[in-house]
Amino acid sequence: MAETLLGTKMDSADSKALSPAVLEEVETEKLNKVFLISVQEGDPLPLIKEELKYFIQSRRLADGKEELNVYFHPPQKPQLEEEDKTKLKKRREQNRNAAQRFRNKRKTKKESKEQELDFLNSRNNELRSQVEDLEREVHIYRQYMCRGFSQDGIHIDNVLPK
């Protein structure tokens, strides 16, 4: 059995019996369908593949050769033995456990960093308020000293650093 590009099955004798005009019409119809699919998906690859198939088939038929049939079957997974299945199951379980440990470790690390950040932010706020208090004290003492020195005739700018 040979499968044409249209997807219908026919004997190789039937495909030889079809005239080139009928084959071309069938191929054109198939190309139109693939073109619509390509436009809908936004992927030109199916159209390019179909055009290439059409070109190769028409060349073969023009040279008097029979139609080329190519079938692509998805690769089959090899059947695993019981020992391999248990090894695979064990490996998957180990991987699952390792991934969970990693996620827990990452979560713990993140939480500790957040706690450290909170502590440092509160410490920073405390130190800022302390700085403000000390700056207020310095300002008060400077005003006090300015009053005392200005009464004695000594200028504060010559005594205190800025």
Side-chain angles (χ1 to χ4, degrees):
M1 299 291 282
E3 186 171 322
T4 66
L5 292 178
L6 184 58
T8 59
K9 293 191 176 193
M10 60 177 71
D11 292 322
S12 57
D14 290 341
S15 67
K16 287 181 184 177
L18 290 175
S19 68
V22 172
L23 281 176
E24 187 173 333
E25 185 177 315
V26 168
E27 298 300 329
T28 304
E29 186 178 323
K30 178 67 174 174
L31 283 173
N32 288 339
K33 287 180 183 178
V34 173
F35 174 76
L36 291 175
I37 292 170
S38 292
V39 169
Q40 288 172 349
E41 294 177 0
D43 184 17
L45 193 59
L47 182 61
I48 293 170
K49 286 181 179 180
E50 283 303 317
E51 286 178 340
L52 186 59
K53 285 180 193 177
Y54 174 71
F55 178 74
I56 292 170
Q57 291 293 23
S58 61
R59 268 272 176 96
R60 287 184 62 83
L61 293 174
D63 292 342
K65 298 177 183 175
E66 64 182 55
E67 187 175 347
L68 182 63
N69 296 310
V70 180
Y71 300 102
F72 293 102
H73 299 288
Q76 295 179 352
K77 292 183 180 179
Q79 295 296 322
L80 296 177
E81 294 181 14
E82 203 56 41
E83 181 182 337
D84 293 332
K85 287 181 182 179
T86 56
K87 283 183 181 179
L88 182 62
K89 188 175 181 179
K90 182 179 177 184
R91 197 173 335 132
R92 285 182 178 163
E93 183 65 29
Q94 286 175 339
N95 188 36
R96 191 176 303 118
N97 291 336
Q100 187 61 45
R101 283 193 310 270
F102 173 76
R103 285 190 291 268
N104 290 340
K105 184 178 177 182
R106 183 177 57 190
K107 183 179 177 183
T108 305
K109 191 174 181 180
K110 181 181 175 186
E111 289 172 353
S112 70
K113 292 289 183 185
E114 287 175 352
Q115 288 176 350
E116 183 180 1
L117 180 64
D118 290 342
F119 169 76
L120 291 174
N121 279 335
S122 65
R123 180 72 176 137
N124 190 19
N125 290 336
E126 289 174 14
L127 292 174
R128 285 180 191 267
S129 68
Q130 247 183 346
V131 166
E132 288 175 5
D133 292 343
L134 291 172
E135 285 177 346
R136 264 190 247 113
E137 259 185 74
V138 166
H139 182 70
I140 291 170
Y141 287 134
R142 281 190 178 180
Q143 283 181 344
Y144 176 73
M145 290 179 69
C146 283
R147 285 186 205 131
F149 284 123
S150 62
Q151 290 173 357
D152 296 337
I154 301 173
H155 220 286
I156 189 71
D157 293 333
N158 298 332
V159 179
L160 294 175
K162 291 186 177 181

mmCIF file of all heavy atoms in Angstrom, residues 1-5 12 15-16 27 52-61 65-72:
data_model
loop_
_atom_site.group_PDB
_atom_site.id
_atom_site.type_symbol
_atom_site.label_atom_id
_atom_site.label_comp_id
_atom_site.label_asym_id
_atom_site.label_seq_id
_atom_site.Cartn_x
_atom_site.Cartn_y
_atom_site.Cartn_z
ATOM 1 N N MET A 1 0.847 -1.176 0.000
ATOM 2 C CA MET A 1 0.000 0.000 0.000
ATOM 3 C C MET A 1 0.897 1.246 0.000
ATOM 4 O O MET A 1 1.830 1.343 0.759
ATOM 5 C CB MET A 1 -0.882 0.016 1.249
ATOM 6 C CG MET A 1 -1.847 -1.149 1.403
ATOM 7 S SD MET A 1 -3.153 -1.130 0.217
ATOM 8 C CE MET A 1 -4.206 0.084 0.907
ATOM 9 N N ALA A 2 0.540 2.177 -0.785
ATOM 10 C CA ALA A 2 1.275 3.435 -0.857
ATOM 11 C C ALA A 2 0.362 4.547 -0.379
ATOM 12 O O ALA A 2 -0.828 4.552 -0.657
ATOM 13 C CB ALA A 2 1.725 3.705 -2.290
ATOM 14 N N GLU A 3 0.951 5.505 0.352
ATOM 15 C CA GLU A 3 0.151 6.620 0.851
ATOM 16 C C GLU A 3 0.539 7.863 0.071
ATOM 17 O O GLU A 3 1.707 8.205 -0.004
ATOM 18 C CB GLU A 3 0.401 6.820 2.344
ATOM 19 C CG GLU A 3 -0.498 7.871 2.941
ATOM 20 C CD GLU A 3 -0.376 7.892 4.452
ATOM 21 O OE1 GLU A 3 -0.257 6.843 5.057
ATOM 22 O OE2 GLU A 3 -0.417 8.996 4.986
ATOM 23 N N THR A 4 -0.431 8.519 -0.500
ATOM 24 C CA THR A 4 -0.146 9.740 -1.250
ATOM 25 C C THR A 4 -0.063 10.902 -0.287
ATOM 26 O O THR A 4 -0.374 10.771 0.891
ATOM 27 C CB THR A 4 -1.252 10.020 -2.293
ATOM 28 O OG1 THR A 4 -2.454 10.294 -1.592
ATOM 29 C CG2 THR A 4 -1.431 8.858 -3.240
ATOM 30 N N LEU A 5 0.307 12.036 -0.802
ATOM 31 C CA LEU A 5 0.400 13.229 0.028
ATOM 32 C C LEU A 5 -0.968 13.673 0.522
ATOM 33 O O LEU A 5 -1.073 14.387 1.496
ATOM 34 C CB LEU A 5 1.062 14.370 -0.750
ATOM 35 C CG LEU A 5 2.534 14.153 -1.067
ATOM 36 C CD1 LEU A 5 3.051 15.328 -1.885
ATOM 37 C CD2 LEU A 5 3.350 13.973 0.182
ATOM 38 N N SER A 12 0.109 0.742 -5.349
ATOM 39 C CA SER A 12 1.090 1.421 -6.178
ATOM 40 C C SER A 12 0.676 1.381 -7.636
ATOM 41 O O SER A 12 0.997 2.274 -8.410
ATOM 42 C CB SER A 12 2.475 0.813 -5.974
ATOM 43 O OG SER A 12 2.435 -0.576 -6.248
ATOM 44 N N SER A 15 -1.621 4.330 -8.091
ATOM 45 C CA SER A 15 -0.935 5.615 -8.157
ATOM 46 C C SER A 15 -0.257 5.809 -9.491
ATOM 47 O O SER A 15 -0.138 6.921 -9.981
ATOM 48 C CB SER A 15 0.075 5.739 -7.009
ATOM 49 O OG SER A 15 1.122 4.809 -7.190
ATOM 50 N N LYS A 16 0.190 4.699 -10.130
ATOM 51 C CA LYS A 16 0.791 4.822 -11.456
ATOM 52 C C LYS A 16 -0.273 5.122 -12.496
ATOM 53 O O LYS A 16 -0.023 5.769 -13.490
ATOM 54 C CB LYS A 16 1.526 3.530 -11.819
ATOM 55 C CG LYS A 16 2.800 3.333 -11.065
ATOM 56 C CD LYS A 16 3.476 2.051 -11.481
ATOM 57 C CE LYS A 16 4.720 1.798 -10.662
ATOM 58 N NZ LYS A 16 5.347 0.515 -11.006
ATOM 59 N N GLU A 27 -2.183 17.087 -5.274
ATOM 60 C CA GLU A 27 -1.079 17.751 -4.574
ATOM 61 C C GLU A 27 -1.409 19.210 -4.292
ATOM 62 O O GLU A 27 -1.100 19.731 -3.230
ATOM 63 C CB GLU A 27 0.212 17.647 -5.395
ATOM 64 C CG GLU A 27 0.692 16.235 -5.639
ATOM 65 C CD GLU A 27 0.977 15.482 -4.359
ATOM 66 O OE1 GLU A 27 1.365 16.105 -3.364
ATOM 67 O OE2 GLU A 27 0.789 14.253 -4.363
ATOM 68 N N LEU A 52 8.361 20.686 -0.641
ATOM 69 C CA LEU A 52 9.517 19.849 -0.949
ATOM 70 C C LEU A 52 9.075 18.435 -1.320
ATOM 71 O O LEU A 52 9.576 17.853 -2.292
ATOM 72 C CB LEU A 52 10.471 19.826 0.248
ATOM 73 C CG LEU A 52 11.796 19.116 0.040
ATOM 74 C CD1 LEU A 52 12.572 19.747 -1.110
ATOM 75 C CD2 LEU A 52 12.616 19.158 1.311
ATOM 76 N N LYS A 53 8.124 17.881 -0.571
ATOM 77 C CA LYS A 53 7.599 16.554 -0.908
ATOM 78 C C LYS A 53 6.998 16.563 -2.311
ATOM 79 O O LYS A 53 7.227 15.649 -3.109
ATOM 80 C CB LYS A 53 6.519 16.131 0.100
ATOM 81 C CG LYS A 53 7.037 15.701 1.432
ATOM 82 C CD LYS A 53 5.842 15.319 2.295
ATOM 83 C CE LYS A 53 6.198 15.175 3.742
ATOM 84 N NZ LYS A 53 5.004 14.884 4.561
ATOM 85 N N TYR A 54 6.212 17.586 -2.590
ATOM 86 C CA TYR A 54 5.566 17.711 -3.896
ATOM 87 C C TYR A 54 6.604 17.795 -5.006
ATOM 88 O O TYR A 54 6.497 17.136 -6.038
ATOM 89 C CB TYR A 54 4.659 18.940 -3.923
ATOM 90 C CG TYR A 54 4.056 19.230 -5.267
ATOM 91 C CD1 TYR A 54 3.065 18.416 -5.789
ATOM 92 C CD2 TYR A 54 4.486 20.313 -6.023
ATOM 93 C CE1 TYR A 54 2.519 18.669 -7.033
ATOM 94 C CE2 TYR A 54 3.948 20.571 -7.266
ATOM 95 C CZ TYR A 54 2.966 19.750 -7.774
ATOM 96 O OH TYR A 54 2.426 19.993 -8.997
ATOM 97 N N PHE A 55 7.635 18.583 -4.793
ATOM 98 C CA PHE A 55 8.692 18.744 -5.788
ATOM 99 C C PHE A 55 9.395 17.418 -6.048
ATOM 100 O O PHE A 55 9.616 17.029 -7.195
ATOM 101 C CB PHE A 55 9.687 19.811 -5.307
ATOM 102 C CG PHE A 55 10.833 20.026 -6.240
ATOM 103 C CD1 PHE A 55 10.658 20.708 -7.439
ATOM 104 C CD2 PHE A 55 12.092 19.531 -5.941
ATOM 105 C CE1 PHE A 55 11.716 20.900 -8.303
ATOM 106 C CE2 PHE A 55 13.149 19.713 -6.804
ATOM 107 C CZ PHE A 55 12.969 20.392 -7.987
ATOM 108 N N ILE A 56 9.731 16.705 -4.998
ATOM 109 C CA ILE A 56 10.423 15.419 -5.142
ATOM 110 C C ILE A 56 9.529 14.403 -5.849
ATOM 111 O O ILE A 56 9.970 13.697 -6.762
ATOM 112 C CB ILE A 56 10.880 14.896 -3.766
ATOM 113 C CG1 ILE A 56 11.990 15.802 -3.209
ATOM 114 C CG2 ILE A 56 11.365 13.456 -3.856
ATOM 115 C CD1 ILE A 56 12.348 15.514 -1.755
ATOM 116 N N GLN A 57 8.255 14.332 -5.430
ATOM 117 C CA GLN A 57 7.336 13.371 -6.046
ATOM 118 C C GLN A 57 7.131 13.682 -7.531
ATOM 119 O O GLN A 57 7.124 12.778 -8.362
ATOM 120 C CB GLN A 57 5.975 13.378 -5.326
ATOM 121 C CG GLN A 57 5.999 12.827 -3.934
ATOM 122 C CD GLN A 57 6.285 11.326 -3.874
ATOM 123 O OE1 GLN A 57 6.852 10.723 -4.763
ATOM 124 N NE2 GLN A 57 5.872 10.726 -2.766
ATOM 125 N N SER A 58 6.945 14.953 -7.864
ATOM 126 C CA SER A 58 6.723 15.292 -9.271
ATOM 127 C C SER A 58 7.962 14.988 -10.107
ATOM 128 O O SER A 58 7.857 14.529 -11.249
ATOM 129 C CB SER A 58 6.306 16.755 -9.420
ATOM 130 O OG SER A 58 7.304 17.600 -8.939
ATOM 131 N N ARG A 59 9.147 15.198 -9.568
ATOM 132 C CA ARG A 59 10.388 14.870 -10.269
ATOM 133 C C ARG A 59 10.468 13.369 -10.522
ATOM 134 O O ARG A 59 10.827 12.931 -11.608
ATOM 135 C CB ARG A 59 11.591 15.278 -9.425
ATOM 136 C CG ARG A 59 12.126 16.642 -9.664
ATOM 137 C CD ARG A 59 13.168 16.592 -10.807
ATOM 138 N NE ARG A 59 13.618 17.918 -11.108
ATOM 139 C CZ ARG A 59 14.723 18.459 -10.608
ATOM 140 N NH1 ARG A 59 15.473 17.780 -9.796
ATOM 141 N NH2 ARG A 59 15.050 19.677 -10.945
ATOM 142 N N ARG A 60 10.156 12.578 -9.462
ATOM 143 C CA ARG A 60 10.225 11.128 -9.601
ATOM 144 C C ARG A 60 9.228 10.645 -10.651
ATOM 145 O O ARG A 60 9.557 9.793 -11.478
ATOM 146 C CB ARG A 60 9.941 10.452 -8.252
ATOM 147 C CG ARG A 60 11.078 10.595 -7.260
ATOM 148 C CD ARG A 60 10.794 9.824 -5.993
ATOM 149 N NE ARG A 60 10.660 8.391 -6.203
ATOM 150 C CZ ARG A 60 11.681 7.532 -6.283
ATOM 151 N NH1 ARG A 60 12.911 7.971 -6.183
ATOM 152 N NH2 ARG A 60 11.467 6.241 -6.454
ATOM 153 N N LEU A 61 8.004 11.177 -10.612
ATOM 154 C CA LEU A 61 6.998 10.754 -11.575
ATOM 155 C C LEU A 61 7.361 11.190 -12.997
ATOM 156 O O LEU A 61 7.117 10.464 -13.962
ATOM 157 C CB LEU A 61 5.626 11.293 -11.188
ATOM 158 C CG LEU A 61 5.034 10.707 -9.900
ATOM 159 C CD1 LEU A 61 3.744 11.424 -9.541
ATOM 160 C CD2 LEU A 61 4.801 9.213 -10.026
ATOM 161 N N LYS A 65 9.805 7.150 -12.518
ATOM 162 C CA LYS A 65 9.999 6.319 -11.326
ATOM 163 C C LYS A 65 8.682 6.248 -10.571
ATOM 164 O O LYS A 65 7.790 7.066 -10.766
ATOM 165 C CB LYS A 65 11.085 6.906 -10.436
ATOM 166 C CG LYS A 65 12.440 6.967 -11.097
ATOM 167 C CD LYS A 65 13.449 7.618 -10.185
ATOM 168 C CE LYS A 65 14.797 7.736 -10.885
ATOM 169 N NZ LYS A 65 15.749 8.472 -10.066
ATOM 170 N N GLU A 66 8.594 5.282 -9.673
ATOM 171 C CA GLU A 66 7.371 5.170 -8.892
ATOM 172 C C GLU A 66 7.390 6.174 -7.737
ATOM 173 O O GLU A 66 8.445 6.714 -7.380
ATOM 174 C CB GLU A 66 7.165 3.750 -8.382
ATOM 175 C CG GLU A 66 8.214 3.268 -7.404
ATOM 176 C CD GLU A 66 7.963 1.831 -6.989
ATOM 177 O OE1 GLU A 66 7.854 0.964 -7.864
ATOM 178 O OE2 GLU A 66 7.883 1.615 -5.771
ATOM 179 N N GLU A 67 6.236 6.354 -7.185
ATOM 180 C CA GLU A 67 6.057 7.330 -6.107
ATOM 181 C C GLU A 67 6.862 6.906 -4.874
ATOM 182 O O GLU A 67 6.892 5.739 -4.508
ATOM 183 C CB GLU A 67 4.572 7.434 -5.751
ATOM 184 C CG GLU A 67 4.254 8.525 -4.775
ATOM 185 C CD GLU A 67 2.752 8.661 -4.550
ATOM 186 O OE1 GLU A 67 1.964 8.094 -5.318
ATOM 187 O OE2 GLU A 67 2.402 9.355 -3.593
ATOM 188 N N LEU A 68 7.534 7.864 -4.280
ATOM 189 C CA LEU A 68 8.330 7.599 -3.088
ATOM 190 C C LEU A 68 7.443 7.745 -1.856
ATOM 191 O O LEU A 68 6.776 8.754 -1.679
ATOM 192 C CB LEU A 68 9.485 8.612 -3.001
ATOM 193 C CG LEU A 68 10.440 8.455 -1.837
ATOM 194 C CD1 LEU A 68 11.180 7.128 -1.915
ATOM 195 C CD2 LEU A 68 11.444 9.598 -1.823
ATOM 196 N N ASN A 69 7.443 6.740 -1.031
ATOM 197 C CA ASN A 69 6.624 6.766 0.190
ATOM 198 C C ASN A 69 7.537 6.748 1.400
ATOM 199 O O ASN A 69 8.344 5.835 1.561
ATOM 200 C CB ASN A 69 5.684 5.553 0.230
ATOM 201 C CG ASN A 69 4.699 5.592 -0.903
ATOM 202 O OD1 ASN A 69 4.059 6.608 -1.102
ATOM 203 N ND2 ASN A 69 4.590 4.508 -1.652
ATOM 204 N N VAL A 70 7.416 7.755 2.200
ATOM 205 C CA VAL A 70 8.224 7.872 3.397
ATOM 206 C C VAL A 70 7.289 7.928 4.587
ATOM 207 O O VAL A 70 6.364 8.738 4.623
ATOM 208 C CB VAL A 70 9.102 9.149 3.360
ATOM 209 C CG1 VAL A 70 9.939 9.260 4.606
ATOM 210 C CG2 VAL A 70 9.963 9.144 2.120
ATOM 211 N N TYR A 71 7.514 7.064 5.529
ATOM 212 C CA TYR A 71 6.687 7.035 6.732
ATOM 213 C C TYR A 71 7.558 7.367 7.936
ATOM 214 O O TYR A 71 8.644 6.813 8.088
ATOM 215 C CB TYR A 71 6.057 5.651 6.928
ATOM 216 C CG TYR A 71 5.170 5.244 5.789
ATOM 217 C CD1 TYR A 71 5.594 4.341 4.828
ATOM 218 C CD2 TYR A 71 3.906 5.789 5.673
ATOM 219 C CE1 TYR A 71 4.778 3.972 3.777
ATOM 220 C CE2 TYR A 71 3.078 5.429 4.625
ATOM 221 C CZ TYR A 71 3.528 4.515 3.676
ATOM 222 O OH TYR A 71 2.711 4.178 2.651
ATOM 223 N N PHE A 72 7.083 8.254 8.727
ATOM 224 C CA PHE A 72 7.788 8.610 9.942
ATOM 225 C C PHE A 72 6.974 8.111 11.118
ATOM 226 O O PHE A 72 5.851 8.551 11.331
ATOM 227 C CB PHE A 72 7.974 10.131 10.052
ATOM 228 C CG PHE A 72 8.886 10.683 9.003
ATOM 229 C CD1 PHE A 72 8.379 11.337 7.898
ATOM 230 C CD2 PHE A 72 10.259 10.538 9.115
ATOM 231 C CE1 PHE A 72 9.206 11.828 6.921
ATOM 232 C CE2 PHE A 72 11.097 11.034 8.146
ATOM 233 C CZ PHE A 72 10.579 11.681 7.040
#
